[in-house]
Amino acid sequence: MTTLRMTFAALGLSAVSSLALAAGNPLSVHVLNLENGLPSPGINVTLEKHVGQNWQPLAQGTTNEQGRIAELFPAKQPFEAGEYRVVFKTGEYFEKAKRETFFPEIPVIFQVKQTDQHYHIPLLLSPYGFSTYRGS
């Protein structure tokens, strides 16, 4: 029983420490599957910044077992005001699950005005629909 308690304590501390590390990063994402209410692991996500007429790639990541990327913004780059785009590669995710989807990728464009705040982009996903909002 002591080993079980120690394991749960270690898992709890691990989760808290990863949240503390992510606290300094200004951008996170989370994907939930609306069909089954479960997280969506393995979704590739890209981050781009609107510069002039083009989108400049900044970072990419893959959602973890909880459907999250806690630190999507590049660690050594200043977080500047501007227009950003997060692109969720949902076609790849549904293809791996042997499911069809109407949306092969979902771009979410958002504007950063206050660089001292954290921006969280949740995506609620199904094969033929999605919803997103600014989370916290």
Side-chain angles (χ1 to χ4, degrees):
M1 189 61 130
T2 304
T3 304
L4 185 59
R5 269 191 246 153
M6 288 177 62
T7 302
F8 281 124
L11 288 172
L13 287 173
S14 173
V16 169
S17 67
S18 64
L19 285 174
L21 288 172
N25 194 284
L27 181 64
S28 59
V29 300
H30 188 197
V31 184
L32 290 171
N33 186 325
L34 285 175
E35 283 188 303
N36 57 20
L38 297 174
S40 299
I43 294 182
N44 291 317
V45 181
T46 59
L47 171 65
E48 303 164 330
K49 184 175 184 193
H50 199 213
V51 178
Q53 299 293 320
N54 301 311
W55 289 99
Q56 174 186 352
L58 295 179
Q60 70 88 30
T62 303
T63 56
N64 64 16
E65 290 302 313
Q66 292 84 37
R68 297 179 183 273
I69 301 174
E71 300 178 338
L72 187 55
F73 197 82
K76 297 184 186 220
Q77 187 164 330
F79 189 49
E80 300 172 336
E83 200 170 72
Y84 292 85
R85 177 169 67 183
V86 172
V87 181
F88 297 89
K89 309 293 185 173
T90 53
E92 298 168 356
Y93 169 76
F94 283 112
E95 186 177 318
K96 286 178 192 172
K98 299 187 182 345
R99 301 285 316 274
E100 290 187 16
T101 183
F102 186 68
F103 300 102
E105 63 180 37
I106 299 172
V108 177
I109 298 170
F110 61 101
Q111 193 167 46
V112 170
K113 291 184 179 183
Q114 297 173 314
T115 59
D116 61 339
Q117 293 186 1
H118 181 83
Y119 291 80
H120 181 67
I121 314 278
L123 179 68
L124 306 175
L125 178 62
S126 74
Y128 297 98
F130 66 90
S131 178
T132 188
Y133 56 94
R134 180 176 178 190
S136 58

